[in-house]
Coordinates of all heavy atoms in Angstrom, one line a residue:
A1 N -12.5 -14.4 8.4 CA -11.7 -13.3 8.9 C -11.2 -12.5 7.8 O -11.0 -13.0 6.7 CB -10.6 -13.8 9.8
V2 N -11.0 -11.2 8.0 CA -10.4 -10.3 7.0 C -9.1 -9.9 7.5 O -8.9 -9.5 8.6 CB -11.4 -9.1 6.8 CG1 -10.8 -8.1 5.9 CG2 -12.8 -9.5 6.4
F3 N -8.1 -9.9 6.6 CA -6.7 -9.4 6.9 C -6.7 -7.9 6.7 O -7.1 -7.4 5.7 CB -5.8 -10.1 5.9 CG -4.4 -9.7 6.0 CD1 -3.6 -10.2 7.0 CD2 -3.8 -8.8 5.1 CE1 -2.2 -9.9 7.1 CE2 -2.5 -8.5 5.2 CZ -1.7 -9.0 6.2
C4 N -6.2 -7.2 7.7 CA -6.3 -5.7 7.7 C -4.9 -5.1 8.0 O -4.1 -5.7 8.8 CB -7.2 -5.2 8.8 SG -8.9 -5.8 8.6
L5 N -4.6 -4.0 7.3 CA -3.4 -3.2 7.5 C -3.8 -1.7 7.4 O -4.6 -1.4 6.5 CB -2.4 -3.5 6.4 CG -1.6 -4.8 6.4 CD1 -1.0 -5.0 5.0 CD2 -0.5 -4.7 7.5
R6 N -3.2 -0.9 8.2 CA -3.4 0.6 8.0 C -2.6 1.0 6.8 O -1.5 0.6 6.6 CB -3.0 1.3 9.3 CG -3.9 0.9 10.5 CD -4.4 1.9 11.3 NE -4.4 3.3 10.9 CZ -5.5 4.0 10.5 NH1 -6.6 3.4 10.5 NH2 -5.4 5.2 10.2
P7 N -3.1 1.9 6.0 CA -2.4 2.3 4.7 C -1.0 2.9 5.0 O -0.1 2.7 4.2 CB -3.4 3.3 4.1 CG -4.7 3.0 4.7 CD -4.5 2.4 6.0
E8 N -0.9 3.6 6.1 CA 0.4 4.2 6.4 C 1.5 3.2 6.9 O 2.6 3.5 7.0 CB 0.3 5.4 7.4 CG -0.2 5.0 8.7 CD -1.7 4.9 8.9 OE1 -2.5 5.0 7.9 OE2 -2.2 4.7 10.0
R9 N 1.0 2.0 7.2 CA 1.9 0.9 7.7 C 2.5 0.1 6.6 O 3.4 -0.8 6.8 CB 1.2 0.0 8.7 CG 0.6 0.7 9.9 CD 1.7 1.2 10.9 NE 2.6 0.2 11.4 CZ 2.5 -0.5 12.5 NH1 1.4 -0.4 13.3 NH2 3.4 -1.4 12.9
I10 N 2.1 0.3 5.4 CA 2.6 -0.4 4.2 C 3.7 0.4 3.5 O 3.5 1.5 3.1 CB 1.5 -0.7 3.2 CG1 0.3 -1.4 3.9 CG2 2.0 -1.5 2.0 CD1 -0.9 -1.6 3.0
A11 N 4.9 -0.2 3.3 CA 6.0 0.4 2.6 C 5.8 0.1 1.1 O 5.5 -1.0 0.8 CB 7.3 0.0 3.1
I12 N 6.0 1.1 0.2 CA 5.9 0.9 -1.2 C 7.2 1.3 -1.9 O 7.8 2.3 -1.5 CB 4.7 1.7 -1.8 CG1 4.5 1.4 -3.2 CG2 4.8 3.2 -1.5 CD1 3.1 1.9 -3.8
A13 N 7.6 0.5 -2.8 CA 8.9 0.8 -3.5 C 8.8 0.2 -4.9 O 7.9 -0.7 -5.2 CB 10.1 0.1 -2.8
P14 N 9.6 0.7 -5.9 CA 9.6 0.1 -7.2 C 9.8 -1.5 -7.1 O 10.5 -2.0 -6.2 CB 10.8 0.7 -7.9 CG 11.0 2.0 -7.2 CD 10.6 1.7 -5.8
E15 N 9.2 -2.2 -8.0 CA 9.3 -3.7 -8.0 C 10.8 -4.1 -8.0 O 11.6 -3.4 -8.6 CB 8.6 -4.2 -9.3 CG 8.4 -5.7 -9.2 CD 7.6 -6.2 -10.4 OE1 7.9 -5.8 -11.5 OE2 6.6 -6.9 -10.1
G16 N 11.1 -5.2 -7.3 CA 12.4 -5.6 -7.1 C 13.0 -5.3 -5.8 O 14.1 -5.8 -5.4
D17 N 12.3 -4.6 -5.0 CA 12.7 -4.3 -3.6 C 12.8 -5.5 -2.8 O 11.9 -6.4 -2.8 CB 11.7 -3.3 -3.0 CG 12.1 -2.9 -1.6 OD1 13.2 -2.4 -1.4 OD2 11.3 -3.1 -0.6
A18 N 14.0 -5.7 -2.1 CA 14.2 -6.9 -1.3 C 13.2 -6.9 -0.1 O 12.9 -5.8 0.4 CB 15.6 -6.9 -0.7
G19 N 12.7 -8.0 0.2 CA 11.8 -8.1 1.3 C 10.3 -7.9 1.0 O 9.5 -7.8 1.9
A20 N 10.0 -7.8 -0.3 CA 8.6 -7.6 -0.7 C 7.7 -8.7 -0.3 O 8.1 -9.9 -0.4 CB 8.5 -7.4 -2.2
V21 N 6.5 -8.4 0.2 CA 5.5 -9.4 0.6 C 4.6 -9.6 -0.6 O 4.1 -10.7 -0.8 CB 4.8 -8.9 1.9 CG1 3.7 -9.9 2.2 CG2 5.7 -8.7 3.1
V22 N 4.3 -8.5 -1.3 CA 3.3 -8.5 -2.4 C 3.9 -7.6 -3.5 O 4.5 -6.6 -3.2 CB 1.9 -7.9 -1.9 CG1 1.0 -7.8 -3.0 CG2 1.3 -8.8 -0.8
T23 N 3.6 -8.0 -4.7 CA 3.9 -7.1 -5.9 C 2.6 -6.8 -6.6 O 1.7 -7.6 -6.5 CB 4.9 -7.8 -6.8 OG1 4.4 -9.0 -7.3 CG2 6.3 -8.1 -6.2
G24 N 2.6 -5.7 -7.3 CA 1.4 -5.3 -8.0 C 1.7 -4.1 -8.9 O 2.8 -3.7 -9.1
E25 N 0.6 -3.5 -9.3 CA 0.6 -2.3 -10.2 C -0.3 -1.2 -9.6 O -1.4 -1.4 -9.1 CB 0.1 -2.7 -11.6 CG 0.2 -1.6 -12.6 CD -0.2 -2.1 -13.9 OE1 0.3 -3.1 -14.4 OE2 -1.1 -1.4 -14.5
I26 N 0.3 0.0 -9.7 CA -0.5 1.2 -9.2 C -1.6 1.5 -10.2 O -1.3 1.7 -11.3 CB 0.4 2.4 -9.0 CG1 1.5 2.1 -7.9 CG2 -0.4 3.6 -8.7 CD1 2.5 3.2 -7.8
S27 N -2.8 1.5 -9.7 CA -4.0 1.9 -10.5 C -4.5 3.3 -10.3 O -5.1 3.9 -11.1 CB -5.1 0.9 -10.3 OG -5.6 0.9 -9.0
E28 N -4.1 3.9 -9.1 CA -4.5 5.2 -8.8 C -3.4 5.8 -7.9 O -2.8 5.2 -7.1 CB -5.8 5.3 -7.9 CG -7.0 4.8 -8.6 CD -8.2 4.8 -7.7 OE1 -8.4 5.7 -6.9 OE2 -9.1 3.9 -7.8
A29 N -3.2 7.1 -8.2 CA -2.2 7.9 -7.4 C -2.8 9.3 -7.1 O -3.2 10.0 -8.1 CB -0.9 8.0 -8.1
A30 N -3.0 9.6 -5.9 CA -3.7 10.9 -5.5 C -2.9 11.7 -4.5 O -2.4 11.1 -3.5 CB -5.1 10.6 -5.0
F31 N -2.7 12.9 -4.8 CA -2.0 13.9 -3.8 C -3.0 14.2 -2.8 O -4.1 14.8 -3.1 CB -1.5 15.1 -4.6 CG -0.8 16.1 -3.8 CD1 0.5 15.9 -3.4 CD2 -1.5 17.2 -3.4 CE1 1.1 16.8 -2.6 CE2 -0.8 18.2 -2.6 CZ 0.5 18.0 -2.2
V32 N -2.7 14.0 -1.5 CA -3.6 14.3 -0.4 C -2.9 15.1 0.6 O -2.8 14.7 1.8 CB -4.3 13.0 0.2 CG1 -5.3 12.4 -0.8 CG2 -3.3 12.0 0.5
G33 N -2.5 16.3 0.3 CA -1.8 17.2 1.2 C -0.4 16.7 1.5 O 0.5 16.7 0.7
E34 N -0.2 16.2 2.7 CA 1.2 15.8 3.2 C 1.6 14.4 2.7 O 2.7 14.0 2.9 CB 1.3 15.9 4.7 CG 0.7 14.6 5.4 CD -0.8 14.5 5.4 OE1 -1.5 15.4 5.0 OE2 -1.3 13.4 5.8
A35 N 0.7 13.8 1.9 CA 1.0 12.4 1.5 C 0.4 12.1 0.1 O -0.4 12.9 -0.4 CB 0.3 11.4 2.5
M36 N 0.9 11.0 -0.4 CA 0.3 10.4 -1.6 C -0.5 9.2 -1.2 O 0.0 8.5 -0.3 CB 1.4 10.0 -2.6 CG 2.2 11.2 -3.3 SD 1.2 12.1 -4.4 CE 0.8 11.0 -5.7
R37 N -1.6 9.0 -1.9 CA -2.4 7.8 -1.6 C -2.3 7.0 -2.9 O -2.7 7.5 -4.0 CB -3.8 8.1 -1.3 CG -4.6 6.8 -0.9 CD -6.1 7.1 -0.6 NE -6.7 7.4 -1.9 CZ -7.5 8.4 -2.2 NH1 -7.8 9.3 -1.3 NH2 -8.0 8.5 -3.4
Y38 N -1.9 5.8 -2.8 CA -1.8 4.9 -4.0 C -2.7 3.7 -3.8 O -2.9 3.2 -2.7 CB -0.4 4.3 -4.1 CG 0.7 5.3 -4.3 CD1 1.5 5.7 -3.3 CD2 0.9 5.9 -5.6 CE1 2.5 6.7 -3.5 CE2 1.9 6.8 -5.8 CZ 2.7 7.2 -4.7 OH 3.7 8.1 -5.0
V39 N -3.4 3.3 -4.8 CA -4.2 2.1 -4.9 C -3.4 1.1 -5.7 O -3.0 1.4 -6.9 CB -5.6 2.3 -5.4 CG1 -6.3 1.0 -5.5 CG2 -6.4 3.3 -4.6
V40 N -3.1 -0.1 -5.1 CA -2.3 -1.1 -5.8 C -3.1 -2.3 -6.0 O -3.6 -2.9 -5.0 CB -1.0 -1.3 -5.0 CG1 -0.2 -2.4 -5.7 CG2 -0.2 -0.1 -4.8
H41 N -3.1 -2.8 -7.2 CA -3.8 -4.1 -7.5 C -2.6 -5.2 -7.5 O -1.8 -5.1 -8.3 CB -4.5 -4.1 -8.8 CG -5.8 -3.3 -8.7 ND1 -6.9 -3.6 -8.0 CD2 -6.0 -2.0 -9.2 CE1 -7.8 -2.7 -8.1 NE2 -7.3 -1.7 -8.8
A42 N -2.7 -6.1 -6.6 CA -1.7 -7.1 -6.4 C -1.9 -8.2 -7.5 O -3.0 -8.4 -8.0 CB -1.8 -7.8 -5.0
A43 N -0.8 -8.8 -7.8 CA -0.8 -9.9 -8.8 C -1.7 -11.0 -8.3 O -2.3 -11.8 -9.1 CB 0.7 -10.4 -9.0
S44 N -1.9 -11.2 -7.0 CA -2.7 -12.3 -6.5 C -4.2 -11.9 -6.4 O -5.0 -12.7 -6.0 CB -2.2 -12.6 -5.0 OG -2.2 -11.4 -4.3
G45 N -4.5 -10.7 -6.8 CA -6.0 -10.3 -6.9 C -6.4 -9.3 -5.8 O -7.5 -8.7 -6.0
E46 N -5.7 -9.1 -4.7 CA -6.1 -8.2 -3.7 C -5.8 -6.8 -4.1 O -5.0 -6.5 -5.0 CB -5.3 -8.5 -2.4 CG -5.6 -9.8 -1.7 CD -4.6 -10.9 -2.2 OE1 -3.7 -10.6 -3.0 OE2 -4.8 -12.0 -1.9
T47 N -6.5 -5.9 -3.4 CA -6.3 -4.4 -3.7 C -5.8 -3.8 -2.3 O -6.4 -4.1 -1.3 CB -7.6 -3.7 -4.1 OG1 -8.0 -4.3 -5.3 CG2 -7.4 -2.3 -4.3
F48 N -4.8 -3.0 -2.4 CA -4.2 -2.4 -1.2 C -4.2 -0.9 -1.4 O -4.0 -0.4 -2.5 CB -2.7 -2.8 -1.0 CG -2.5 -4.2 -0.7 CD1 -2.5 -5.2 -1.6 CD2 -2.4 -4.6 0.7 CE1 -2.4 -6.6 -1.3 CE2 -2.2 -5.9 1.0 CZ -2.2 -6.9 0.1
T49 N -4.5 -0.2 -0.4 CA -4.4 1.3 -0.4 C -3.2 1.6 0.5 O -3.1 1.1 1.6 CB -5.7 2.0 0.2 OG1 -6.8 1.6 -0.6 CG2 -5.5 3.5 0.2
V50 N -2.3 2.4 -0.1 CA -1.0 2.8 0.6 C -0.9 4.3 0.8 O -1.2 5.0 -0.2 CB 0.2 2.3 -0.2 CG1 1.5 2.6 0.5 CG2 0.1 0.8 -0.4
K51 N -0.6 4.7 2.0 CA -0.4 6.2 2.2 C 1.1 6.4 2.4 O 1.7 5.8 3.3 CB -1.2 6.6 3.4 CG -1.1 8.1 3.7 CD -2.0 8.5 4.8 CE -1.9 10.0 5.1 NZ -2.7 10.3 6.3
R52 N 1.7 7.3 1.7 CA 3.2 7.5 1.8 C 3.4 9.0 1.9 O 2.9 9.8 1.1 CB 3.9 7.0 0.5 CG 5.3 7.2 0.5 CD 5.9 6.6 -0.8 NE 7.3 6.7 -0.9 CZ 8.0 6.4 -1.9 NH1 7.4 5.9 -3.0 NH2 9.3 6.5 -2.0
L53 N 4.2 9.5 2.9 CA 4.5 10.9 3.1 C 5.2 11.5 1.9 O 6.0 10.8 1.2 CB 5.3 11.1 4.3 CG 4.6 10.9 5.6 CD1 5.6 11.1 6.8 CD2 3.4 11.8 5.8
N54 N 4.9 12.7 1.6 CA 5.5 13.5 0.5 C 6.8 14.1 0.9 O 6.9 15.2 1.3 CB 4.6 14.6 0.0 CG 3.5 14.1 -0.9 OD1 3.6 13.2 -1.7 ND2 2.3 14.7 -0.7
L55 N 7.8 13.3 1.0 CA 9.1 13.8 1.5 C 10.0 14.4 0.3 O 10.8 15.3 0.5 CB 9.9 12.7 2.2 CG 9.2 12.1 3.4 CD1 10.0 11.0 4.0 CD2 8.9 13.2 4.4
D56 N 9.8 13.8 -0.9 CA 10.5 14.3 -2.1 C 9.7 14.0 -3.3 O 9.3 12.9 -3.6 CB 11.9 13.5 -2.1 CG 12.8 14.0 -3.2 OD1 12.4 14.8 -4.0 OD2 14.0 13.6 -3.2
A57 N 9.4 15.0 -4.1 CA 8.6 14.9 -5.3 C 9.2 13.9 -6.3 O 8.5 13.2 -7.0 CB 8.4 16.3 -6.0
A58 N 10.6 13.8 -6.3 CA 11.2 12.8 -7.2 C 10.9 11.4 -6.9 O 11.1 10.5 -7.7 CB 12.7 13.1 -7.1
D59 N 10.5 11.1 -5.6 CA 10.1 9.7 -5.2 C 8.7 9.3 -5.5 O 8.3 8.2 -5.3 CB 10.4 9.6 -3.7 CG 11.8 9.6 -3.4 OD1 12.7 9.3 -4.3 OD2 12.2 9.9 -2.2
R60 N 7.9 10.2 -6.1 CA 6.5 9.9 -6.4 C 6.4 8.8 -7.5 O 7.2 8.8 -8.4 CB 5.7 11.1 -6.8 CG 5.5 12.1 -5.7 CD 4.6 13.2 -6.1 NE 4.6 14.2 -5.0 CZ 4.5 15.4 -5.2 NH1 4.4 15.9 -6.4 NH2 4.5 16.3 -4.2
L61 N 5.5 7.9 -7.3 CA 5.3 6.8 -8.2 C 4.1 7.1 -9.1 O 3.2 7.8 -8.7 CB 5.1 5.5 -7.4 CG 6.3 5.1 -6.5 CD1 5.8 4.0 -5.5 CD2 7.4 4.6 -7.3
K62 N 4.1 6.6 -10.3 CA 3.1 6.9 -11.3 C 2.1 5.7 -11.5 O 2.5 4.6 -11.3 CB 3.8 7.3 -12.6 CG 4.7 8.5 -12.5 CD 5.1 8.9 -13.9 CE 6.1 10.0 -13.9 NZ 5.9 11.1 -13.1
V63 N 0.9 6.1 -11.9 CA 0.0 5.0 -12.3 C 0.6 4.1 -13.4 O 1.2 4.6 -14.3 CB -1.3 5.7 -12.8 CG1 -2.3 4.7 -13.4 CG2 -2.0 6.5 -11.7
G64 N 0.4 2.8 -13.2 CA 1.0 1.9 -14.1 C 2.3 1.3 -13.7 O 2.7 0.3 -14.2
A65 N 2.9 1.9 -12.7 CA 4.2 1.4 -12.2 C 4.1 0.1 -11.4 O 3.1 -0.1 -10.7 CB 4.8 2.5 -11.2
R66 N 5.0 -0.8 -11.7 CA 5.0 -2.1 -11.0 C 5.8 -1.8 -9.6 O 6.8 -1.2 -9.6 CB 5.8 -3.1 -11.8 CG 5.2 -3.4 -13.1 CD 4.0 -4.3 -13.1 NE 4.2 -5.5 -12.3 CZ 3.2 -6.2 -11.8 NH1 2.0 -5.9 -11.9 NH2 3.5 -7.3 -11.0
V67 N 5.2 -2.2 -8.5 CA 5.7 -1.9 -7.2 C 5.7 -3.1 -6.3 O 5.1 -4.2 -6.6 CB 4.9 -0.8 -6.5 CG1 5.0 0.5 -7.3 CG2 3.4 -1.2 -6.4
A68 N 6.5 -3.0 -5.2 CA 6.6 -4.0 -4.2 C 6.1 -3.4 -2.9 O 6.4 -2.3 -2.6 CB 8.1 -4.4 -4.0
L69 N 5.3 -4.2 -2.2 CA 4.7 -3.8 -0.9 C 5.3 -4.6 0.2 O 5.5 -5.8 0.0 CB 3.2 -3.9 -0.9 CG 2.5 -3.1 -2.0 CD1 1.0 -3.4 -1.9 CD2 2.8 -1.7 -2.0
R70 N 5.6 -4.0 1.3 CA 6.0 -4.8 2.5 C 5.5 -4.1 3.8 O 5.2 -3.0 3.7 CB 7.5 -5.0 2.5 CG 8.4 -3.8 2.5 CD 9.9 -4.2 2.5 NE 10.6 -3.0 2.2 CZ 11.0 -2.1 3.1 NH1 10.6 -2.2 4.3 NH2 11.7 -1.0 2.7
W71 N 5.5 -4.9 4.8 CA 5.1 -4.4 6.1 C 5.6 -5.3 7.2 O 6.0 -6.5 7.0 CB 3.5 -4.3 6.2 CG 2.8 -5.6 5.9 CD1 2.6 -6.6 6.7 CD2 2.3 -6.0 4.6 NE1 1.9 -7.6 6.1 CE2 1.7 -7.3 4.8 CE3 2.3 -5.4 3.4 CZ2 1.2 -8.0 3.7 CZ3 1.7 -6.1 2.3 CH2 1.1 -7.4 2.5
S72 N 5.6 -4.8 8.4 CA 6.1 -5.5 9.5 C 5.0 -6.5 9.9 O 3.8 -6.1 9.9 CB 6.4 -4.6 10.7 OG 6.6 -5.3 11.9
P73 N 5.3 -7.7 10.3 CA 4.3 -8.7 10.7 C 3.4 -8.1 11.9 O 2.2 -8.5 11.9 CB 5.1 -9.9 11.2 CG 6.4 -9.8 10.5 CD 6.6 -8.3 10.4
D74 N 3.9 -7.3 12.7 CA 3.0 -6.8 13.8 C 2.1 -5.7 13.4 O 1.2 -5.2 14.1 CB 3.9 -6.3 15.0 CG 4.7 -5.1 14.7 OD1 5.1 -4.9 13.5 OD2 5.1 -4.4 15.7
A75 N 2.2 -5.2 12.1 CA 1.3 -4.2 11.6 C 0.0 -4.8 11.1 O -1.0 -4.1 11.0 CB 2.0 -3.5 10.4
A76 N -0.1 -6.1 10.9 CA -1.3 -6.7 10.3 C -2.1 -7.3 11.5 O -1.6 -7.7 12.5 CB -0.9 -7.9 9.4
F77 N -3.5 -7.3 11.2 CA -4.4 -7.9 12.2 C -5.6 -8.4 11.4 O -5.8 -8.1 10.3 CB -4.8 -6.8 13.3 CG -5.6 -5.6 12.7 CD1 -6.9 -5.6 12.6 CD2 -4.8 -4.5 12.2 CE1 -7.6 -4.5 12.1 CE2 -5.5 -3.4 11.7 CZ -6.9 -3.4 11.7
T78 N -6.3 -9.3 12.1 CA -7.5 -9.9 11.4 C -8.7 -9.4 12.1 O -8.7 -9.0 13.3 CB -7.5 -11.4 11.5 OG1 -7.4 -11.8 12.8 CG2 -6.3 -12.0 10.6
Q79 N -9.8 -9.3 11.4 CA -11.1 -8.9 11.9 C -12.1 -9.8 11.4 O -12.1 -10.2 10.2 CB -11.4 -7.4 11.4 CG -12.5 -6.8 12.0 CD -12.7 -5.3 11.6 OE1 -12.2 -4.9 10.6 NE2 -13.3 -4.6 12.4
R80 N -13.0 -10.2 12.3 CA -14.1 -11.1 11.9 C -15.1 -10.4 11.0 O -15.4 -9.2 11.3 CB -14.8 -11.7 13.1 CG -13.9 -12.6 13.9 CD -14.5 -13.2 15.1 NE -15.9 -13.5 15.0 CZ -16.6 -14.0 15.9 NH1 -16.1 -14.3 17.1 NH2 -17.9 -14.3 15.8
R81 N -15.6 -11.1 10.0 CA -16.6 -10.5 9.2 C -18.0 -10.5 9.9 O -18.2 -11.4 10.7 CB -16.8 -11.4 7.9 CG -15.7 -11.3 6.9 CD -16.1 -12.0 5.6 NE -15.0 -12.1 4.7 CZ -14.8 -11.2 3.7 NH1 -15.6 -10.3 3.5 NH2 -13.7 -11.3 3.0
Q82 N -18.7 -9.5 9.7 CA -20.1 -9.4 10.3 C -21.0 -10.3 9.5 O -21.0 -10.2 8.3 CB -20.5 -8.0 10.4 CG -19.7 -7.1 11.2 CD -19.7 -7.5 12.7 OE1 -20.7 -7.9 13.2 NE2 -18.5 -7.4 13.3
P83 N -21.9 -11.0 10.2 CA -22.9 -11.8 9.4 C -23.9 -11.0 8.6 O -24.1 -9.9 8.8 CB -23.6 -12.6 10.5 CG -23.2 -12.1 11.8 CD -22.1 -11.1 11.6

């Protein structure tokens, strides 16, 4: 099975955020209209794509920043791998 999350269901904050499920480093940051898309490589080896609304330019995170990711347990689902 594969663990799945929609990118907009993942909260991203500077490392040290209380309640973090995963920590990692931003490897890509792209402006995509109303949102920023971040690619985060987790310390455990997984890669996460996170979509965050552009509410304030001062809140944008930069490539290389250490971040914390969290999500609600009901946001995650599993999918069976195809043979």
Side-chain angles (χ1 to χ4, degrees):
V2 177
F3 178 77
C4 303
L5 285 163
R6 298 225 14 108
E8 65 273 9
R9 301 290 304 265
I10 303 171
I12 186 170
E15 192 172 50
D17 182 54
V21 176
V22 173
T23 59
E25 184 174 308
I26 296 174
S27 62
E28 295 177 37
F31 180 78
V32 288
E34 81 289 351
M36 289 294 294
R37 186 186 71 228
Y38 297 103
V39 175
V40 177
H41 291 286
S44 54
E46 296 89 4
T47 300
F48 292 84
T49 300
V50 180
K51 184 178 178 183
R52 180 178 180 188
L53 289 178
N54 283 321
L55 300 176
D56 187 349
D59 289 337
R60 289 189 189 141
L61 300 165
K62 299 186 184 317
V63 170
R66 300 283 310 160
V67 294
L69 305 179
R70 60 182 166 78
W71 54 86
S72 171
D74 66 336
F77 60 96
T78 57
Q79 188 173 26
R80 290 179 39 177
R81 288 187 187 264
Q82 297 297 323

